[in-house]
Amino acid sequence: MRGAGGGGGGADPQPSFTELVDSNLSVAADISKDLGTLAVGPPTLASTFGNVQAGVTAFDLLGVPVTDTRGFLNFPLSSIPLAASIRFASVTVFMNSVTLRTPSLPSPFFVDLIDTVTFPTPIVSSDYSAAWAATRSVNFLNSDQGRFVENDVTSLMREAQRLSLPSFEIRIAFNEEAFLANPSTTRGWVEIDDQFAVPGQRPLLTVDYVI
């Protein structure tokens, strides 16, 4: 869905457009890795369970995580002109669940842009460790549970546009290095709503651009 806005004040004569793009449920998935055996399992599609999961879970007696899960969200870009100049982009998700080892601390995650030309859909097990085209860091909080959370992905969307990618695919992964470097963070796991039954809670990509 596209909406146009005025340039405002004459400083920016170009009209801006805002595009809202729903998550592609036929592609969205998560992939888990057993940190003991290092075996990577098959993708679990969001369309199967109505959610996408990411983070570390199943801690052993010493507090070491046993499983690492990475979530993938995909948004088709066919409605955004190739000539568009991206002013702002965000992905808004509804957090079904947030489970933090220490609930009072933030949990560091990566949001990676996946090159869907080099690594085309559908998502496969090897995408767990696929090279990213761009990345940024985000924190999830215990208070995020049960609410919508908007994440700025402008830099990732600009790179997707530069690469002329057919879809905007992001991988959400726990940032173990950031956790080890900062004692004021905690390990965590999140569940993001993504289902046909509740379309208003599906992940939404918002792109503001000019041509």
Side-chain angles (χ1 to χ4, degrees), residues 54-56 69 100 107-111 136-140 172-175 178 186-190:
V56 288
T69 300
L100 305 182
S107 188
F109 279 70
F110 284 122
V111 177
R136 70 181 307 274
S137 299
V138 300
N139 286 328
F140 290 116
I172 304 168
F174 179 70
N175 187 342
T186 187
R187 289 189 171 107
W189 171 88
V190 299

mmCIF file of all heavy atoms in Angstrom, residues 54-56 69 100 107-111 136-140 172-175 178 186-190:
data_model
loop_
_atom_site.group_PDB
_atom_site.id
_atom_site.type_symbol
_atom_site.label_atom_id
_atom_site.label_comp_id
_atom_site.label_asym_id
_atom_site.label_seq_id
_atom_site.Cartn_x
_atom_site.Cartn_y
_atom_site.Cartn_z
ATOM 1 N N ALA A 54 14.027 -16.751 17.639
ATOM 2 C CA ALA A 54 15.446 -16.426 17.538
ATOM 3 C C ALA A 54 16.037 -16.332 18.939
ATOM 4 O O ALA A 54 15.361 -15.925 19.879
ATOM 5 C CB ALA A 54 15.656 -15.112 16.784
ATOM 6 N N GLY A 55 17.314 -16.724 19.078
ATOM 7 C CA GLY A 55 18.000 -16.600 20.351
ATOM 8 C C GLY A 55 18.528 -17.922 20.853
ATOM 9 O O GLY A 55 18.531 -18.930 20.136
ATOM 10 N N VAL A 56 19.013 -17.915 22.087
ATOM 11 C CA VAL A 56 19.610 -19.110 22.674
ATOM 12 C C VAL A 56 18.715 -19.635 23.788
ATOM 13 O O VAL A 56 18.135 -18.876 24.560
ATOM 14 C CB VAL A 56 21.028 -18.814 23.207
ATOM 15 C CG1 VAL A 56 21.996 -18.623 22.060
ATOM 16 C CG2 VAL A 56 21.042 -17.576 24.097
ATOM 17 N N THR A 69 19.032 -20.451 17.862
ATOM 18 C CA THR A 69 18.037 -20.377 16.791
ATOM 19 C C THR A 69 18.112 -19.019 16.114
ATOM 20 O O THR A 69 18.232 -17.987 16.786
ATOM 21 C CB THR A 69 16.618 -20.600 17.347
ATOM 22 O OG1 THR A 69 16.558 -21.894 17.962
ATOM 23 C CG2 THR A 69 15.570 -20.517 16.238
ATOM 24 N N LEU A 100 14.480 -13.942 28.937
ATOM 25 C CA LEU A 100 15.839 -13.487 29.190
ATOM 26 C C LEU A 100 16.428 -14.216 30.391
ATOM 27 O O LEU A 100 15.743 -14.438 31.396
ATOM 28 C CB LEU A 100 15.865 -11.972 29.435
ATOM 29 C CG LEU A 100 15.247 -11.104 28.331
ATOM 30 C CD1 LEU A 100 15.399 -9.632 28.687
ATOM 31 C CD2 LEU A 100 15.889 -11.403 26.979
ATOM 32 N N SER A 107 19.101 -7.865 25.996
ATOM 33 C CA SER A 107 19.706 -8.994 25.291
ATOM 34 C C SER A 107 20.119 -8.557 23.889
ATOM 35 O O SER A 107 19.280 -8.094 23.110
ATOM 36 C CB SER A 107 18.722 -10.164 25.217
ATOM 37 O OG SER A 107 19.351 -11.325 24.712
ATOM 38 N N PRO A 108 21.417 -8.656 23.548
ATOM 39 C CA PRO A 108 21.901 -8.163 22.248
ATOM 40 C C PRO A 108 21.654 -9.144 21.099
ATOM 41 O O PRO A 108 21.926 -10.340 21.228
ATOM 42 C CB PRO A 108 23.397 -7.965 22.495
ATOM 43 C CG PRO A 108 23.740 -9.023 23.506
ATOM 44 C CD PRO A 108 22.520 -9.167 24.391
ATOM 45 N N PHE A 109 21.184 -8.614 19.994
ATOM 46 C CA PHE A 109 20.933 -9.408 18.796
ATOM 47 C C PHE A 109 21.507 -8.694 17.576
ATOM 48 O O PHE A 109 21.739 -7.487 17.594
ATOM 49 C CB PHE A 109 19.427 -9.610 18.585
ATOM 50 C CG PHE A 109 18.818 -10.708 19.427
ATOM 51 C CD1 PHE A 109 18.673 -10.560 20.796
ATOM 52 C CD2 PHE A 109 18.395 -11.887 18.833
ATOM 53 C CE1 PHE A 109 18.106 -11.560 21.573
ATOM 54 C CE2 PHE A 109 17.831 -12.900 19.598
ATOM 55 C CZ PHE A 109 17.685 -12.738 20.970
ATOM 56 N N PHE A 110 21.739 -9.465 16.529
ATOM 57 C CA PHE A 110 22.043 -8.933 15.200
ATOM 58 C C PHE A 110 20.766 -8.934 14.367
ATOM 59 O O PHE A 110 19.915 -9.815 14.511
ATOM 60 C CB PHE A 110 23.044 -9.824 14.456
ATOM 61 C CG PHE A 110 24.466 -9.705 14.900
ATOM 62 C CD1 PHE A 110 25.144 -10.827 15.355
ATOM 63 C CD2 PHE A 110 25.134 -8.496 14.849
ATOM 64 C CE1 PHE A 110 26.466 -10.740 15.746
ATOM 65 C CE2 PHE A 110 26.466 -8.395 15.240
ATOM 66 C CZ PHE A 110 27.124 -9.518 15.689
ATOM 67 N N VAL A 111 20.644 -7.974 13.450
ATOM 68 C CA VAL A 111 19.679 -8.041 12.361
ATOM 69 C C VAL A 111 20.498 -7.961 11.076
ATOM 70 O O VAL A 111 21.103 -6.928 10.782
ATOM 71 C CB VAL A 111 18.639 -6.911 12.419
ATOM 72 C CG1 VAL A 111 17.703 -6.997 11.207
ATOM 73 C CG2 VAL A 111 17.835 -6.984 13.700
ATOM 74 N N ARG A 136 23.141 -4.783 11.510
ATOM 75 C CA ARG A 136 23.068 -3.791 12.572
ATOM 76 C C ARG A 136 22.694 -4.509 13.868
ATOM 77 O O ARG A 136 22.217 -5.642 13.846
ATOM 78 C CB ARG A 136 22.063 -2.675 12.264
ATOM 79 C CG ARG A 136 20.607 -3.078 12.296
ATOM 80 C CD ARG A 136 19.683 -1.901 11.949
ATOM 81 N NE ARG A 136 19.954 -0.732 12.781
ATOM 82 C CZ ARG A 136 19.405 -0.532 13.976
ATOM 83 N NH1 ARG A 136 18.589 -1.421 14.483
ATOM 84 N NH2 ARG A 136 19.676 0.562 14.660
ATOM 85 N N SER A 137 22.953 -3.823 14.982
ATOM 86 C CA SER A 137 22.696 -4.411 16.293
ATOM 87 C C SER A 137 21.409 -3.862 16.887
ATOM 88 O O SER A 137 21.079 -2.691 16.698
ATOM 89 C CB SER A 137 23.862 -4.122 17.244
ATOM 90 O OG SER A 137 25.057 -4.693 16.757
ATOM 91 N N VAL A 138 20.683 -4.715 17.612
ATOM 92 C CA VAL A 138 19.486 -4.296 18.337
ATOM 93 C C VAL A 138 19.498 -4.981 19.707
ATOM 94 O O VAL A 138 20.176 -5.998 19.894
ATOM 95 C CB VAL A 138 18.180 -4.659 17.596
ATOM 96 C CG1 VAL A 138 18.119 -3.990 16.236
ATOM 97 C CG2 VAL A 138 18.043 -6.166 17.457
ATOM 98 N N ASN A 139 18.768 -4.413 20.640
ATOM 99 C CA ASN A 139 18.579 -5.032 21.951
ATOM 100 C C ASN A 139 17.103 -5.352 22.150
ATOM 101 O O ASN A 139 16.239 -4.543 21.786
ATOM 102 C CB ASN A 139 19.030 -4.101 23.077
ATOM 103 C CG ASN A 139 20.539 -3.994 23.166
ATOM 104 O OD1 ASN A 139 21.259 -4.950 22.871
ATOM 105 N ND2 ASN A 139 21.034 -2.840 23.568
ATOM 106 N N PHE A 140 16.824 -6.515 22.723
ATOM 107 C CA PHE A 140 15.467 -6.841 23.128
ATOM 108 C C PHE A 140 15.383 -6.796 24.649
ATOM 109 O O PHE A 140 16.338 -7.169 25.349
ATOM 110 C CB PHE A 140 15.047 -8.210 22.599
ATOM 111 C CG PHE A 140 14.841 -8.249 21.116
ATOM 112 C CD1 PHE A 140 15.638 -9.039 20.307
ATOM 113 C CD2 PHE A 140 13.842 -7.480 20.522
ATOM 114 C CE1 PHE A 140 15.449 -9.063 18.928
ATOM 115 C CE2 PHE A 140 13.644 -7.498 19.148
ATOM 116 C CZ PHE A 140 14.449 -8.293 18.352
ATOM 117 N N ILE A 172 17.532 -12.691 12.146
ATOM 118 C CA ILE A 172 17.617 -12.197 13.518
ATOM 119 C C ILE A 172 18.359 -13.240 14.337
ATOM 120 O O ILE A 172 17.941 -14.403 14.416
ATOM 121 C CB ILE A 172 16.210 -11.948 14.091
ATOM 122 C CG1 ILE A 172 15.443 -10.973 13.183
ATOM 123 C CG2 ILE A 172 16.288 -11.407 15.513
ATOM 124 C CD1 ILE A 172 13.965 -10.883 13.486
ATOM 125 N N ALA A 173 19.492 -12.834 14.933
ATOM 126 C CA ALA A 173 20.361 -13.793 15.616
ATOM 127 C C ALA A 173 20.917 -13.202 16.899
ATOM 128 O O ALA A 173 21.233 -12.002 16.953
ATOM 129 C CB ALA A 173 21.509 -14.208 14.699
ATOM 130 N N PHE A 174 21.058 -14.039 17.921
ATOM 131 C CA PHE A 174 21.653 -13.587 19.168
ATOM 132 C C PHE A 174 23.117 -13.229 18.942
ATOM 133 O O PHE A 174 23.848 -13.931 18.249
ATOM 134 C CB PHE A 174 21.555 -14.670 20.243
ATOM 135 C CG PHE A 174 22.175 -14.272 21.552
ATOM 136 C CD1 PHE A 174 21.579 -13.306 22.348
ATOM 137 C CD2 PHE A 174 23.377 -14.835 21.974
ATOM 138 C CE1 PHE A 174 22.159 -12.913 23.544
ATOM 139 C CE2 PHE A 174 23.955 -14.454 23.168
ATOM 140 C CZ PHE A 174 23.348 -13.490 23.956
ATOM 141 N N ASN A 175 23.559 -12.109 19.551
ATOM 142 C CA ASN A 175 24.919 -11.609 19.392
ATOM 143 C C ASN A 175 25.763 -12.067 20.584
ATOM 144 O O ASN A 175 25.877 -11.368 21.587
ATOM 145 C CB ASN A 175 24.884 -10.076 19.294
ATOM 146 C CG ASN A 175 26.235 -9.482 18.960
ATOM 147 O OD1 ASN A 175 27.267 -10.133 19.111
ATOM 148 N ND2 ASN A 175 26.241 -8.233 18.514
ATOM 149 N N ALA A 178 28.761 -9.690 21.612
ATOM 150 C CA ALA A 178 28.361 -8.507 22.373
ATOM 151 C C ALA A 178 28.040 -8.881 23.813
ATOM 152 O O ALA A 178 28.367 -8.139 24.751
ATOM 153 C CB ALA A 178 27.162 -7.833 21.716
ATOM 154 N N THR A 186 22.440 -9.810 28.710
ATOM 155 C CA THR A 186 22.084 -11.180 29.074
ATOM 156 C C THR A 186 21.750 -11.995 27.836
ATOM 157 O O THR A 186 21.418 -11.430 26.782
ATOM 158 C CB THR A 186 20.882 -11.189 30.051
ATOM 159 O OG1 THR A 186 20.656 -12.529 30.518
ATOM 160 C CG2 THR A 186 19.601 -10.693 29.357
ATOM 161 N N ARG A 187 21.865 -13.295 27.956
ATOM 162 C CA ARG A 187 21.424 -14.166 26.859
ATOM 163 C C ARG A 187 19.900 -14.193 26.837
ATOM 164 O O ARG A 187 19.252 -14.042 27.875
ATOM 165 C CB ARG A 187 21.972 -15.575 27.043
ATOM 166 C CG ARG A 187 23.489 -15.691 26.801
ATOM 167 C CD ARG A 187 23.909 -17.136 26.786
ATOM 168 N NE ARG A 187 25.299 -17.290 26.355
ATOM 169 C CZ ARG A 187 26.312 -17.614 27.163
ATOM 170 N NH1 ARG A 187 26.076 -17.805 28.452
ATOM 171 N NH2 ARG A 187 27.541 -17.750 26.697
ATOM 172 N N GLY A 188 19.349 -14.407 25.637
ATOM 173 C CA GLY A 188 17.898 -14.390 25.543
ATOM 174 C C GLY A 188 17.352 -15.080 24.309
ATOM 175 O O GLY A 188 18.091 -15.518 23.417
ATOM 176 N N TRP A 189 16.039 -15.151 24.274
ATOM 177 C CA TRP A 189 15.297 -15.829 23.202
ATOM 178 C C TRP A 189 13.997 -15.073 22.990
ATOM 179 O O TRP A 189 13.382 -14.584 23.942
ATOM 180 C CB TRP A 189 15.029 -17.266 23.633
ATOM 181 C CG TRP A 189 14.093 -18.053 22.758
ATOM 182 C CD1 TRP A 189 14.406 -18.785 21.663
ATOM 183 C CD2 TRP A 189 12.677 -18.196 22.939
ATOM 184 N NE1 TRP A 189 13.276 -19.380 21.146
ATOM 185 C CE2 TRP A 189 12.199 -19.027 21.915
ATOM 186 C CE3 TRP A 189 11.770 -17.685 23.866
ATOM 187 C CZ2 TRP A 189 10.863 -19.365 21.782
ATOM 188 C CZ3 TRP A 189 10.430 -18.027 23.729
ATOM 189 C CH2 TRP A 189 9.998 -18.856 22.710
ATOM 190 N N VAL A 190 13.593 -14.938 21.737
ATOM 191 C CA VAL A 190 12.357 -14.211 21.429
ATOM 192 C C VAL A 190 11.502 -15.017 20.462
ATOM 193 O O VAL A 190 12.009 -15.822 19.673
ATOM 194 C CB VAL A 190 12.644 -12.812 20.816
ATOM 195 C CG1 VAL A 190 13.428 -11.947 21.793
ATOM 196 C CG2 VAL A 190 13.384 -12.924 19.487
#
